[in-house]
Amino acid sequence: MPELSTTVKQKPLVEEQMISPWREGWKNFKKNKVALIGLFIVVFFILIAILANYIAPYGFNEQQFKDKHLPPSAKHWFGTDDFGRDIFSRVIFGARISLSVGFGSVVGSAIIGSFLGIIAGYYGKWLDAIISRIFDILLAFPSILLAIAIVAMLGQSLQNALIAIAIINVPTFGRLLRARVLSVKEEEYITAAKAIGMKDSRILLHHVLPNSLAPIIVQGSLAIATAIIEAAGLGFLGLGAQPPTPEWGKMLSDSKDFIIQAPWTVFFPGIAIMLTVLGFNLMGDGLRDALDPRMKN
């Protein structure tokens, strides 16, 4: 009976000691006010993208030629463009396009880059040499020029722009995971797993990958901001979204000739890009400070 009471008393102590690093990371993240502002901005634009059909007062391609280039007013909060389309509605629907490209391209590049980086770092030798040289070749080109070349080969479309952005970001995730795996695979628990005959696939999935998720999440949040800018750049050049898709970069391109006559046609899509990128950058910096043990005091 005394032994039972001792066990019961020790259980809460054990539970307190088993603090999840993710819970601790979230606790540290909440202390960063600037990062919370970034999270609020990101959540705000995500909700706008999800609820675009209910928020937008007009269709994104609803044209009223008699109302073209109207300044901001109670009827058209952000004014209208050269086709009489409501810019507020187009900016709202543009959030859906830009965020889809940002998230989609980063998820694709993170999966491919992480896989190649883990293989290169864990097995090394000739596999590491080949994969690392592929990364070096991709990084040798300016990212926007490489994206332009890929889209030029695949064809001008939003889907091809997404593929191009995913490809140019693969080396970033690959080299990050390779460096992480080179460190993790020298840990004692990896050596112990090999000693008891655990398969490489299980070691990678159950030990190496879980201990490498933090840098992937941090890099992913920062990469989304970069992907949105790259998608806007391709759209501005006419290589991304095609008319009448309300992509923010394409909206800037379509309005550049009216910057003096109707500056609001450029101002509001530009502000949307700036705020979204700022939100992801602030959130990414906060995640880095919260999840990276080296940043803790």
Side-chain angles (χ1 to χ4, degrees):
M1 192 68 182
E3 294 180 358
L4 179 60
S5 61
T6 303
T7 305
V8 173
K9 290 180 180 180
Q10 289 179 347
K11 185 176 180 181
L13 179 61
V14 174
E15 290 179 349
E16 290 178 2
Q17 292 174 348
M18 296 176 62
I19 301 175
S20 169
W22 297 104
R23 180 182 298 178
E24 183 180 358
W26 170 243
K27 187 176 180 180
N28 294 329
F29 182 85
K30 290 191 295 184
K31 296 178 181 178
N32 190 332
K33 303 301 182 183
V34 176
L36 288 177
I37 292 174
L39 177 62
F40 173 80
I41 295 173
V42 170
V43 172
F44 174 74
F45 276 98
I46 290 176
L47 290 177
I48 285 179
I50 295 174
L51 303 174
N53 291 329
Y54 304 98
I55 298 175
Y58 303 93
F60 67 84
N61 196 38
E62 187 175 332
Q63 303 178 9
Q64 296 290 338
F65 289 100
K66 62 182 178 64
D67 294 335
K68 70 176 184 177
H69 286 164
L70 292 179
S73 63
K75 183 178 180 181
H76 301 285
W77 290 0
F78 291 177
T80 60
D81 61 9
D82 55 318
F83 288 99
R85 296 174 296 194
D86 183 66
I87 295 177
F88 178 69
S89 300
R90 289 180 63 79
V91 168
I92 289 177
F93 280 101
R96 179 178 296 179
I97 303 297
S98 295
L99 289 177
S100 297
V101 173
F103 280 105
S105 60
V106 169
V107 168
S109 58
I111 293 174
I112 298 173
S114 299
F115 173 77
L116 294 175
I118 288 176
I119 296 299
Y122 187 78
Y123 291 103
K125 299 180 180 178
W126 63 271
L127 272 175
D128 185 16
I130 293 175
I131 294 174
S132 296
R133 295 299 78 77
I134 294 174
F135 291 161
D136 292 339
I137 292 172
L138 292 175
L139 290 171
F141 297 93
S143 59
I144 189 64
L145 292 181
L146 182 59
I148 291 173
I150 295 172
V151 173
M153 290 187 295
L154 298 178
Q156 301 175 4
S157 70
L158 185 63
Q159 291 77 12
N160 291 339
L162 188 152
I163 294 173
I165 295 171
I167 291 174
I168 64 178
N169 284 315
V170 164
T172 303
F173 287 94
R175 297 183 74 173
L176 176 67
L177 264 293
R178 176 183 176 275
R180 180 67 177 173
V181 171
L182 288 175
S183 174
V184 170
K185 75 175 185 178
E186 301 299 328
E187 298 289 341
E188 294 181 357
Y189 61 87
I190 299 296
T191 304
K194 292 180 179 178
I196 63 175
M198 186 177 293
K199 295 181 179 179
D200 289 344
S201 58
R202 189 173 180 184
I203 293 175
L204 292 174
L205 290 176
H206 291 82
H207 297 290
V208 176
L209 184 59
N211 286 283
S212 304
L213 284 178
I216 296 177
I217 294 173
V218 174
Q219 182 58 40
S221 61
L222 296 172
I224 292 175
T226 304
I228 291 174
I229 294 178
E230 291 166 345
L234 292 174
F236 186 84
L237 296 173
L239 299 175
Q242 300 300 307
T245 305
E247 194 271 326
W248 291 336
K250 183 60 178 172
M251 291 175 66
L252 291 176
S253 177
D254 294 340
S255 304
K256 66 181 183 298
D257 295 331
F258 310 105
I259 191 171
I260 302 299
Q261 178 184 354
W264 55 86
T265 60
V266 177
F267 178 77
F268 290 108
I271 287 294
I273 295 173
M274 185 203 74
L275 289 177
T276 306
V277 172
L278 176 64
F280 277 106
N281 282 332
L282 294 179
M283 187 180 71
D285 289 340
L287 288 173
R288 180 192 59 199
D289 296 343
L291 298 178
D292 190 347
R294 294 171 296 181
M295 304 298 294
K296 298 177 182 178
N297 294 326

